[in-house]
Amino acid sequence: MERKFTSIEQVMADLQSRAQSRLSGKLKKLEERGEDEFECPACRDTEFTFYFDKEGYETARPCECRERKAWKRRFKQSMIPDEFTNANFKNYQQFDDIQKKMYDTTLEYLKHFRMDVEDNQKNKTIPYQNFGLVAVFGEQRLKELPPSERSAMKQKHNNFGIGKTHLQIALAKHLIKEGFNVLVVSDVVFIEELMQAKMMNDEGETYNRLLHNTLTADVLIWDDIGKVNWTEARERMYYTIINERYRKQKPIVFNSNEDRGTLAEKIGYAAASRLIGQAEAFLIEAEGTD
């Protein structure tokens, strides 16, 4: 039956009544569940516990499980690849000087993040600098060499399997635990998802959602950036993301099997200028044993 209202007060009263009805329904469902069905019986998974203050008013305060569940949500939303779920600083292996340098630089970069809590409010200190691990002799240069020379040159300037991704995922997990919002993307999958979303017939909803998450994360971890083949459309995509985060002074932590020059060719010179220029203090040209 259609409801008719003659005043704004009646409309507001009706909306309030409906909201109260929905809330009562949810509470009833919670009451019907047994204690063993809740992940946290103390708050019944509401993440708040209630108590009476000195004046006799019922007051809510965050349950002890709230931060743990928030950490789980941040971890899930970070999109960390399954093969790196166990990566951390303790199990990062340092076989030679370059791995020690990467490890020490990562810990030094981590010092620029701080999470202060005052009056139950979190205040984040986030560095504007990017942090990058790139090759000395890029993969694109290897591909351009005569086949007879590639193997020797790869062995001389190897950038594969030296622990770049492991180390930066360890950084991501540490920041997530501290309360920062981190997004991890793998270049090939990420760029293709964006390109496909841009062509979808949904008025840009999927594309804007993906782009919004990329631009608003406290830290963007970009694995193997520059891996996809160059196209003009992809170059514009790289620039859009990198330039917007540059404008907002939000850091990108990245690694690549390309060197400075070949990375610029793959993602565009303007994007590379922003990305690398903002990482000068924390940019390592790395090579070592696979």
Side-chain angles (χ1 to χ4, degrees):
M1 181 178 177
E2 184 179 354
R3 303 185 183 189
K4 294 184 179 180
F5 304 103
T6 59
S7 67
I8 189 64
E9 288 80 8
Q10 288 180 319
V11 173
M12 295 303 297
D14 181 69
L15 289 175
Q16 187 174 7
S17 175
R18 293 188 190 188
Q20 186 63 41
S21 178
R22 286 195 296 269
L23 178 60
S24 298
K26 290 181 180 179
L27 292 175
K28 184 177 181 180
K29 288 181 180 179
L30 286 174
E31 290 174 356
E32 291 173 352
R33 291 168 60 181
E35 291 296 326
D36 57 346
E37 295 183 52
F38 293 104
E39 184 179 337
C40 178
C43 68
R44 294 178 169 240
D45 294 343
T46 63
E47 299 185 16
F48 287 93
T49 56
F50 296 87
Y51 68 99
F52 289 97
D53 60 20
K54 294 179 180 179
E55 284 73 31
Y57 293 103
E58 189 176 30
T59 307
R61 61 185 169 194
C63 181
E64 293 179 357
C65 74
R66 183 175 176 80
E67 182 55 38
R68 182 177 69 254
K69 290 181 178 179
W71 182 89
K72 287 182 179 180
R73 285 193 292 270
R74 290 194 299 271
F75 187 86
K76 183 178 180 180
Q77 293 166 358
S78 71
M79 294 169 55
I80 290 176
D82 291 340
E83 63 266 33
F84 290 102
T85 53
N86 294 320
N88 56 59
F89 289 123
K90 290 184 178 180
N91 60 23
Y92 178 73
Q93 297 178 317
Q94 303 176 52
F95 293 108
D96 50 37
D97 291 341
I98 189 60
Q99 287 163 333
K100 185 178 187 305
K101 182 180 180 180
M102 291 193 302
Y103 178 84
D104 291 342
T105 303
T106 303
L107 294 186
E108 184 63 31
Y109 184 70
L110 189 58
K111 292 179 182 178
H112 288 71
F113 292 86
R114 192 173 70 247
M115 181 71 75
D116 298 316
V117 181
E118 185 176 348
D119 296 330
N120 291 324
Q121 294 292 323
K122 292 182 178 180
N123 299 311
K124 302 175 183 178
T125 299
I126 303 172
Y128 68 88
Q129 297 103 323
N130 295 337
F131 172 33
L133 303 172
V134 299
V136 175
F137 194 88
E139 184 178 6
Q140 186 63 33
R141 294 192 199 280
L142 284 174
K143 292 179 178 179
E144 293 171 353
L145 291 174
S148 59
E149 299 178 18
R150 291 176 191 169
S151 180
M153 189 60 73
K154 180 185 180 301
Q155 189 172 8
K156 181 179 179 181
H157 294 294
N158 177 67
N159 182 248
F160 300 90
I162 60 175
K164 302 187 300 297
T165 302
H166 179 121
L167 198 54
Q168 293 186 336
I169 293 298
L171 171 68
K173 291 170 69 175
H174 186 92
L175 291 174
I176 291 169
K177 189 173 182 179
E178 291 296 313
F180 295 92
N181 296 316
V182 180
L183 179 64
V184 179
V185 297
S186 178
D187 190 70
V188 175
V189 175
F190 175 56
I191 293 298
E192 288 307 313
E193 282 185 347
L194 281 172
M195 298 305 295
Q196 290 175 18
K198 199 168 186 179
M199 294 184 290
M200 290 178 65
N201 188 25
D202 65 350
E203 298 182 346
E205 182 179 344
T206 302
Y207 172 74
N208 288 328
R209 175 175 52 79
L210 289 172
L211 199 60
H212 174 79
N213 294 339
T214 306
L215 299 179
T216 57
D218 293 332
V219 183
L220 176 63
I221 309 283
W222 204 324
D223 185 42
D224 210 4
I225 187 172
K227 183 68 175 176
V228 296
N229 295 326
W230 178 91
T231 67
E232 188 174 344
R234 288 169 180 165
E235 180 177 325
R236 288 196 299 269
M237 191 71 70
Y238 281 120
Y239 182 77
T240 297
I241 297 168
I242 293 170
N243 184 61
E244 190 62 25
R245 289 191 66 87
Y246 173 84
R247 288 180 58 252
K248 293 183 176 182
Q249 297 289 280
K250 287 180 175 289
I252 299 174
V253 175
F254 64 96
N255 67 72
S256 179
N257 289 319
E258 301 296 344
D259 57 47
R260 291 183 184 223
T262 57
L263 181 58
E265 293 174 6
K266 298 296 286 290
I267 70 174
Y269 290 96
S273 176
R274 293 276 197 273
L275 183 72
I276 294 174
Q278 203 169 346
E280 283 298 336
F282 293 99
L283 181 70
I284 297 177
E285 295 173 303
E287 61 182 20
T289 304
D290 189 340

